[in-house]
Amino acid sequence: LEIFYPRALQEKTALREKLGIPSNTKVVLSPRRLTPSMNHNIILKAFSQYTKSGEVEAVLVFRKFGYFSYALEDELRDQAVSLGINEKVIWLKEIDYDQLPILYSLADLVINIPERDGLPVTLFEVSACMTPIITSDLPAYHGYCSEGAYFFVGVEDTKGIEKLMNL
């Protein structure tokens, strides 16, 4: 975890520019692998509701890394189009491990909504970067993920997720 700490504005600005994200745009990051159990479809739906009013400039970033489902990616892309948010979704290909702390620091919030999970290192890395995390209220997380840094929500509670996106 030693490389994971809040990064300087200069580093975040450089990555933001590389990704084509304007400086006034909120960044919501879903850092977990594209697999069905991570409920990216629910994240898309909540993000769609969050940005529906047009009052918030925001992008949703999905990381594509390691083994993931291309079929699921196609389904999620189709869902983003049907929700009218495809231009607000960034499909980030794998980045170097040493760039992850910058990505995590760049994000205004991270969202993690698995239906089941162990203790993912990703959450500890993100919290070390001082980025707020919206996450499923899973028994595995209790005792390790404290309220204040982690904001717990039910897995299918899109309204609750949407509300927490205002952090």
Side-chain angles (χ1 to χ4, degrees), residues 4 29 31 104 110 121-133:
F4 292 91
L29 172 65
Y104 297 160
V110 163
V121 172
T122 304
L123 294 185
F124 298 121
E125 293 169 345
V126 170
S127 62
C129 293
M130 305 299 289
T131 303
I133 301 167

